[in-house]
Amino acid sequence: MNKELGWKTLSSHYIHKGPWATLRSDRCEMPSGHIVEDYYVLEYNNWVNAVAITEDNKILMVHQYRHAAEIVSLEIPGGVIDEGELPEQALRRELLEETGYQFDDFELLCTVYANPSTANNHTYCYLAKGGKKVQEQALDEQEEIIVETFTIPQVKQLLAENKIAQALHCTGLFYALKRLGE
């Protein structure tokens, strides 16, 4: 980070604290000396996702409803990193819960921010290979997920046709395809 551009936080107070999101207001000083009275920051846990390739070389994708956007979204599996979990542990858990597949081969592809201007968290995007179906889904109470497998050419076509709306998942897919030489 270019330290010359960093802001100094003078004070913070919380407006809302919830299980999924927290909103705080910061009073900040810019390098120019200008005071920003109310800069709102959304606090979230960090996230993890994976381009998960099964032992028969298919990419696991999930369909699920996303209420804020009011869409059924085609995504790569992933979710929230729980308190005290390492990213890879969270990913193993999420893959097993959402898809029923177990993976042992993980490679971190990138770490990205969904919206660093208003949210403080980041997402670890992985490539997971060699997945084996070992159980049925074990979904959370608010999850209804349909799992589908795609070939690499099919996923490339879905990206080309803008059929994958989740930006963080597109990012992970592009990094994975580059890593795989696709």
Side-chain angles (χ1 to χ4, degrees):
M1 177 174 94
N2 187 329
K3 301 253 186 231
E4 297 171 12
L5 296 175
W7 292 11
K8 181 179 177 184
T9 302
L10 303 173
S11 64
S12 291
H13 73 277
Y14 286 97
I15 297 166
H16 171 78
K17 284 189 175 189
W20 295 102
T22 295
L23 177 63
R24 76 170 197 259
S25 177
D26 291 347
R27 184 172 184 266
C28 302
E29 182 179 356
M30 296 174 62
S32 65
H34 177 77
I35 302 297
V36 179
E37 290 297 336
D38 287 307
Y39 196 93
Y40 297 102
V41 176
L42 290 164
E43 294 182 1
Y44 297 106
N45 285 4
N46 290 328
W47 301 323
V48 64
N49 64 40
V51 175
I53 302 177
T54 64
E55 59 187 349
D56 63 347
N57 209 36
K58 299 282 178 74
I59 296 177
L60 292 175
M61 303 282 292
V62 296
H63 300 266
Q64 60 184 314
Y65 179 69
R66 297 300 193 183
H67 184 68
E70 296 183 344
I71 62 169
V72 174
S73 182
L74 179 60
E75 303 175 354
I76 57 178
V80 172
I81 300 172
D82 290 336
E83 189 71 33
E85 255 184 333
L86 296 174
E88 193 174 305
Q89 291 172 321
L91 182 56
R92 284 178 191 277
R93 176 183 50 74
E94 287 288 344
L95 287 168
L96 198 56
E97 288 173 0
E98 289 188 1
T99 70
Y101 281 76
Q102 181 177 340
F103 290 82
D104 293 317
D105 183 359
F106 295 95
E107 178 183 348
L108 180 64
L109 297 170
C110 62
T111 303
V112 292
Y113 290 80
N115 189 350
S117 65
T118 59
N120 70 333
N121 70 324
H122 56 271
T123 300
Y124 299 94
C125 300
Y126 282 85
L127 175 62
K129 295 192 279 187
K132 297 176 183 151
K133 178 85 170 178
V134 296
Q135 69 177 44
E136 295 304 312
Q137 292 172 304
L139 301 175
D140 294 337
E141 185 177 280
Q142 295 180 357
E143 288 181 315
E144 291 177 346
I145 295 174
I146 297 171
V147 179
E148 189 173 356
T149 60
F150 294 91
T151 65
I152 290 172
Q154 287 173 321
V155 169
K156 289 167 76 173
Q157 188 63 37
L158 289 165
L159 287 166
E161 294 174 1
N162 195 30
K163 301 284 187 188
I164 302 170
Q166 220 293 5
L168 295 171
H169 297 208
C170 290
T171 301
L173 283 162
F174 280 117
Y175 274 98
L177 292 171
K178 181 169 176 39
R179 176 69 178 93
L180 295 168
E182 293 290 332

